[in-house]
Amino acid sequence: MAERSFKAEVADLRKGAGETFTGEGILAITKALLENGVGYVGGYQGAPISHLMDVLADAEDLLKELDVRFEANASEAAAAAMLAASVHYPIRGAVTFKGPVGVNVASDALANLASSGVTGGALIIVGEDYGEGSSIMQERSHAFAMKSQFWLLDPRPNLPSIVKAVGDGFALSEASNTPVMLMVRIRACHVTGQFQTRDNQRPPLSVREALAKPQRNVSRIVLPPMSYAQEHDKINNRWPAAERYIRDHQLNERFGPEAAPVGIVCQGGMYNGVIRALQRLGLADLYGNTQVPIYCLNVTYPLLPDEFSAFCAGKEAVLVVEEGQPEFLEQAFATMMLRSGSSTRLHGKDIFPMAGEYTGQVMKDSLETFLRQHAPNLLPAQVLAPNTEAPAIPDLSKTVPIRPPGFCTGCPERPIFAAMKLVQKELGEHQISADIGCHLFASLPPFNIGGATMGYGLGPASNAAFDGGKAGGAEKRSIAVIGDGGFWHNGLSSSFGNMAFNKSDGVAVIVDNYYSAATGGQDVMSSRAKNPTKATNNPISKALRGIGIDWVKQVDRTYDVAGMRDILREALTTDTPGPKVIVASSECMLNKQRREKPLRSAAIREGRRVEAPRFGVDEAVCTGDHACIRLSGCPSLSLKKLDDPLRDDPVASIDTSCVGCGNCGEVAEAAVLCPSFYEARVIHNPSALERRLNGWRQGLIGWLAKRRQSRRLSFEESAA
Amino acid sequence: MSVTFPPPADAGNVIKLAILAVGGQGGGVLGGWIETLARAQGYAVQATSVAGVAQRTGATIYYLEMAPAGPVAPVFSLAPAAGDVDVMIAAEMMEAGRAILRGFVTPDRTTLIASTHRALAVSEKMVPGDGIANADEVRAAAEVAARGLVLADFEAAALKAGSVISASLFGALAGSGALPFPVEAFEAAIRSSGKGVEPSLRAFAAGREAALAGNVPAPVAPLPRAPGSARGPEKLTKRWQALTDRVSTLPAAVRPMALAGLRKVVDFQDLAYGASYLDRLETAARTDHGTDNAFTIAAAKYLANAMTYDDVIRVADAKTRPERLDRIRAEMGGAEVMQLTEFTHPRAEEVVSLLPRALGQAIMDRPRLLGFIDRRVNKGRRLRTDRLLPFLQLHMLASMRSWRPRSLRHAEETAHLDRWFATALDRAPRDLALATATLQARRLVKGYSDTHARGLGKFDRVMEGIAMVEGRDDAADWARRLITSALQDEEGVALDGTLQTIRSFLA
């Protein structure tokens, strides 16, 4: 079950000609695929295109009606490989994943696909996770397009442009027999807007029909001598064909006046940022009417030298707005200008910063610098000489704490890392590697566990150098952490196959939270949910045994901190040879709450007995040392200042968002912390017997307590 | 392709609105409402967000732009720019600070709507001392940076209405008048979402009211509560009166703290113990030759804390008070039937330290015997104190109060206290500020078992450090620095650094 349901939005995907679609960019892309007669779709979830996969999953009925095949692929490589269907068959296919990590994983398939060339339109939709809030290393997918020779679309970030790019992409792909990558930046994926819909199209040839009439074309097989021919075909035929198509269909756009001393060349995705900066400089209006000519590259690869040189003609200077590094576009333009002997000055990364996101401020500053240099008379007087000094705002950089992501309230991964911290207190610090997924948050405070993440499913593999462990004469073993998502993505073969084959002595902890949780709670093979269209309920431990790993410990309640600690200790100290693997399973709390909360509320409403646990802290007992927080970091476990003049430090306090997971109590117990925690379990709709029993008990307890109270001095409760 | 040269551009009449929230606060819901609202009011709107991993308790940003819809679609930006935001909604006080820090709040244009409540960041919470960031600094900066300011506790307003902060902030937005739309249109946006409409509308109204009330002043830090009168048997209240009379002979500035301390000490043990507290305190007062009574006030505070050490009896007592159950019941929404589980983990040390001094010490000196006891005692114990027998266990443990003064723990604590207090008294005539800091070092002793041991260790190292600087003019400054650094992290890394510095300049 995915984090967000798109069942309601899926209705919008049925809209026909002349209707208006209102919604998110990701949904618009899905609609565009259907309008363009796509025959099959697939992909692998991850920000920012997770929702695209979730929409497709929720739209399976519609896809079936249209005879469109949908696969939730096992990885980005599997997704890219699926495009092989378009190699021999005139079927349009689209896959999606996040870039650049997804592109890295898929690069083998993409390179083969690009070499083969395609018959049907093949579209790779890449959610570019770059800049603020990005969860990955900052790299450009652009390099892959250049090295493998496929085309890269980077449309302007509004719904009509993105929708148009989907259709253009398919057509360009077919016109040039080349796969096309459609890149959508993170904010464009989530941008909302409107566009006019068209009718959905059934694929002219469905995969079902293609299966009945298999086709093959030897020249498209990537083997010598065909692969040599394919390289020449790319350069001699496919590239010129692409250029022709881009030029004839005006995929790139020109804005602003024909004649001007300066011009701006930008990636399509940068267009809105450029316009905003020009608006702020008084050189463009709200509707994009600009006084500075703009050559907007909705196709960033290949580039058209003739279009570019026509744009430069008569201009003193042009500025290339290209986010990320290296500056591929600028270098290409520089080569073109050098070869043609152009006298126009080329600017780009000499003004813009080489690295980092082109924020509003960067864009405005850089454009202003460029214009001051080459066209100061265009700039309004107020920009040239601002007459007001901005007042000094107090510096808060030392006041405002950073707020990195962390485990959610009640997360079942928290106790695993609390246990790991406790084991390290006993056995010393260990070499710990991590993978991709929620568990990576353990590398941040308060746990500070794990120092490396080499890629999805590669956690244990990244400890391979340390695999000798104690068996290799070392004092300690290495520990690797990986999630269930990573396990099924690539981990089983690349990490655990590697460990088993090399007789690793290392310890691996598989954090099994029943979902691909970090990407939004999609099902994986070991999910416990019943999924009508996917094979779930395949235990991880069974897969491990299948590849010859025998020391496998299954933990079915990770909240048992002491138990977790003991199993970790055992794995680190046992004499058993070979990999030691712990499968730590408990359901992702976010998903669990989403599943159970409505059921619980209904049960309470209907008068059934429901136990609702929540934790609390006795503030009179808490001494304000915060040791519990250093083993937790739970959002619901916070601090509160008492209005007691005798107290210096705030005490622990649990707010109403507590879901009663039990971690606080277990940690206090396992780490011998302090006796301030209590669990209060409210019984909704208790039975009559329970109620009566409770009445007697509370009566007696109350009497005892009050009797003592009456014999001593009492003050109003000392802490408020 | 445009061929005409447009007149000088006017990029006005766009409203740029950003929401800075902590993951899980419903920033997306709020953004959705605003978008629905503006569209229904005939505006062209664009909303974007950067979710990604930041949604898991990290800081996240949502951004909207809107302008009256016309025949041509406006070109909106996808990200807020410094100095170019009209309305900034911060769903938490430090997020308001972050918005100011990032330049999204400027005096020429920005209406800042912020909730004054705090969702503490992990870095603030994990400090062994008080690591909570200073919200007053953010408030002061907001007053300079914002054109219009709406500050109130919108979290509390929402909780009171049984809803979440997104709804009360939407109300605050309506109340701020920053958007040119009528209240009914805001409410219609909530209704059209169809989910949790009634609670959302209540929170909306509460948020709007808070905003209309204007910039709510910072809550004044509550004064130490006036010590209430004691209730109990007349014999006891008379003796209590005698003790409070002694407090009134102390300098006026000392009295509130002394009374609070006295109450805590008597509550911990008995009136005689309270008298011994006052004996010590009066000694401190006689030694205090300063003008501000700082030494005596510190003595009043830390003597009380030192005398009321955390032992099993105190915990059992705290957990069996009649008012505790009432308080928990109220916190849990007044449930009729409630199971209550206490999480305890006694070690042999805690048990043995309750024994008579000589016997306890004899066991402590025999590690094998202690280990034997530890193996039987040392485990997590969960007590269901809503049941009679477990409650009785704690109740009886609490009744060991009268026995306490003869216990090993009491002897140890008293000896430790006397050494520390004597050191402070001894320093007072020569360097009163240093003597005061010596008293304040007691703040480091807290917690149970390992935590307590670590606290004691830090206390000892700080006392050593203080001894090293004694005699210098800046000794008190260094003593305070030692205490502050000891509270910065668990392992005492910062403290080691300070000690290293001291050694380096003494060498």
Side-chain angles (χ1 to χ4, degrees), chain A residues 279-329:
Chain A
Q279 285 171 357
R280 295 178 71 192
L281 293 170
L283 294 171
D285 71 6
L286 178 57
Y287 305 100
N289 296 310
T290 164
Q291 297 180 34
V292 180
I294 296 173
Y295 176 38
C296 175
L297 299 170
N298 294 315
V299 185
T300 47
Y301 192 81
L303 298 169
L304 305 189
D306 49 345
E307 266 189 16
F308 176 68
S309 92
F311 180 72
C312 291
K315 292 193 177 61
E316 187 190 312
V318 293
L319 175 70
V320 181
V321 183
E322 177 186 14
E323 196 175 48
Q325 50 78 36
E327 71 285 45
F328 296 119
L329 299 180

Side-chain angles (χ1 to χ4, degrees), chain B residues 31 68 79 116 181 225 346 378 463:
Chain B
T116 52
F181 310 132
R225 191 186 298 156
N378 189 343
M463 292 294 274

